[in-house]
Amino acid sequence: MSEFNPATNEWYHPSKEITRGARVKDYEKLYAEADADIEAYWAKQAKSLDWFKPWKQVLDRSNAPFYKWFVGGKINIAYNALDRHIKTWRKNKVALIWEGEPGDKVVLSYWRLWKEVNKFANVLKGMGVKKGDRVTVYMGRVPELIITMLAIAKIGAIHSVVYGGFSEQALADRIEDAQSRVLVTCDGAWLRGSIVKLKDVVDEAVRRAPIVETVIVVKRTAHDVRMEQGRDYWYHDLMALPIASPTCESEVMDAEDPLFILYTSGTTGKPKGILHTHGGYAVYTSTTLANVFDIKDDDRYWCAADPGWITGHSYIVYAPLILGATSVIYEGAPNHPYPDRWWRIIEDYGVTILYTAPTAIRGLMRFGDMWPSRRDLSSLRLLGSVGEPINPEAWRWYHRVIGKENCPIMDTWWQTETGGFMISPVPSVSLKPGSATRPLPGIKIDIVDEHGESVPPGHDGVLVIQQPWPGMLRTIYGDPERFKKQYWSAFEKQGWYLTGDTARRDEDGYVWIIGRNDDVIKVSGYRLGTAEVESGLVSHPSVAESAVIGIPDEVKGNIIYAYCILKAGIQKSDELKEALKDHIRHEIGPIAVPAKIDFVDVLPKTRSGKIMRRVLRARAQGLPEGDTSTLEE
Ligand code: WTA
């Protein structure tokens, strides 16, 4: 990727048509209103949801940083996503339009989705799943994944969705951490015309994490899989049983009851289980989606992320359904069978809003303008970007070739931990390519030095969030100490949340995200920890020690570079490099496979034994190594 080159004076103003129709017409005014009284602001937003019982207190700060939102309120997010629409004209509105990679299609109305969710909720209850139980979900991008998540939420259980691109050990670790007795999966998933054998991965993961007693398998690819008697059940068999009744009451949940755990990478090898709740998360995701993507009843909204990551949880599953939107979902690869697959989907379904990641835009841009130009993309109204900074070149291409210069780009900055968008334009705001613009109403941020002093415009600093928001993570599952230390200890006195990102503000107050300042690497927008990949490498019998860094890449944003010290007597060879890549593919998943592995005899370390990644990064890119005075002899 090109160097950080902010286009600080390049403005794009939204058309009058866009501004006139926008939900937020005057950003400054709404920001000021929210800022004057955040509790009143969030209470107002919360009123657009259906509560079983109203809250007594909007925000409880008494045990900070363990903030509580909508204290005393009773709600269920699945009820808000489905049941409440069934009572209105929306019951026959299309909720999901799903297209499989091989070309098969499924269209589900709110009514039909509601029925399917009810049925599966009853199946889960029948299998002994109760309120508060954790259910691990490891599936491809199929409608049953969404049905499963909503069914779990409906009965008050907690879902832990593990992205289908993870493999055996990563899945086993997450099952173990969440202590899930029930797992829902697919036999396989389609990707670029071949089958990813999910059930095989599950069999091995469950062997390593034997707490799982029940595995429910959705038949998708229909290849031969082993079904273990008494443990494995076909989804369609269970859904045909009398227990799968089509009515199911939503469990009455406390606003602060957990909804899901989603594991994400941090600075240690052990993934963190980010915990979100029914109440605040529902309010936050639906408000931000309404403000930023301006969802209208006739929109065809397409978030091209995977439901297995936070973008999918918040902005494929929960927020669009809460708002009663029609979503498009596509199972497979953007360039299968041809590089116009996405553009054809936009044309076929009249997609009005496309939300994706810079890496996908750069990947599709490489195939040239011919592919999108042959398709009718005139239905598009708004575009979105998420996951990493979007470089101005990609922004301009997206704006010109895909949006035909008519569609503002919502560059949304946020994190698994934040639950929803934090820094993002709304459609009426003027844009600069590569900047996520300014914080959304109700969100207060700053860019500071290590003492917490604001840095002047044009200078880099750490991005902090200065007051709580309803979509914030509540804890790291099972590890409240780590939650406090990781996010709240750096600016404990001020009570600020540390994002882990470096950023800069320009003269106009626009925010430019530069990237992570911890040991997290963004590869194709996916978040990976160096420590995870390192422990994956040293779990191979030939590797004594390893250090992993991310280096910039034209398409993927970053790629993984690994340095390994081999155990005594092990021969360096290209075959071993391939074997190590294969090992990572199996243990963690294809997304974590290093693009390059180097065998070295020593690693640059400080005298206290910390690996100097900065030196490794410079070496990998052939740049000067800088100050190495702290380097060990
Ligand atoms: C990065 C993804 C620049 C950032 C929703 C953040 C971004 C991390 C943007 C969180 C953006 C996300 N511009 N950087 N618009 N969006 N990031 O948890 O480094 O997978 O800290 O959540 O992605 O990644 P996560």
Side-chain angles (χ1 to χ4, degrees), residues 264-265 274 309-311 315 355 358 385-390 410-418 420-421 423 434-436 463 499-502 512-518 520 522 525-528:
T264 190
S265 301
I274 304 301
W309 295 87
I310 192 66
T311 310
Y315 297 113
Y355 183 35
S385 175
V386 59
E388 52 176 326
I390 178 163
M410 302 298 110
D411 180 358
T412 61
W413 177 90
W414 58 297
Q415 307 179 301
T416 307
E417 291 88 340
T418 69
F421 312 147
I423 305 176
S435 166
L463 178 65
T499 62
D501 277 14
T502 302
W512 300 78
I513 305 291
I514 295 169
R516 300 287 311 189
N517 54 29
D518 53 9
V520 170
K522 279 278 177 152
Y526 295 125
R527 180 165 159 182
L528 290 164

Side-chain angles (χ1 to χ4, degrees), residues 166-188:
F166 280 122
S167 306
E168 283 104 13
Q169 193 56 40
L171 177 57
D173 288 344
R174 287 157 176 78
I175 293 171
E176 198 61 58
D177 191 80
Q179 293 284 296
S180 298
R181 289 181 302 108
V182 175
L183 190 149
V184 188
T185 189
C186 296
D187 54 351

Side-chain angles (χ1 to χ4, degrees), residues 563-583:
Y563 294 87
C564 294
I565 301 179
L566 297 179
K567 285 189 181 150
I570 304 281
Q571 287 298 318
K572 298 173 185 168
S573 70
D574 286 342
E575 288 74 48
L576 181 55
K577 285 185 188 174
E578 287 314 305
L580 289 176
K581 288 185 186 177
D582 227 42
H583 178 68

Side-chain angles (χ1 to χ4, degrees), residues 162 166-176 201 204-205 207-209 271 535-536 539 583-589:
V162 178
F166 280 122
S167 306
E168 283 104 13
Q169 193 56 40
L171 177 57
D173 288 344
R174 287 157 176 78
I175 293 171
E176 198 61 58
V201 176
E204 177 54 25
R207 203 182 59 75
R208 298 182 195 186
S535 52
S539 73
H583 178 68
I584 294 293
R585 194 171 294 122
H586 265 283
E587 294 295 304
I588 310 178

Side-chain angles (χ1 to χ4, degrees), residues 597-616:
I597 299 180
D598 264 355
F599 295 133
V600 291
D601 298 322
V602 284
L603 287 167
K605 286 186 185 166
T606 61
R607 286 183 201 100
S608 58
K610 207 170 179 301
I611 292 171
M612 294 181 77
R613 290 177 207 281
R614 177 177 58 79
V615 173
L616 287 175

Side-chain angles (χ1 to χ4, degrees), residues 40 96 119 126 133 259 309 320 403 411 457 514 534 554 606 632:
L96 303 177
K119 284 170 68 180
D133 287 352
L259 167 65
W309 295 87
D411 180 358
I514 295 169
E534 286 162 3
E554 284 277 347
T606 61
E632 183 190 45

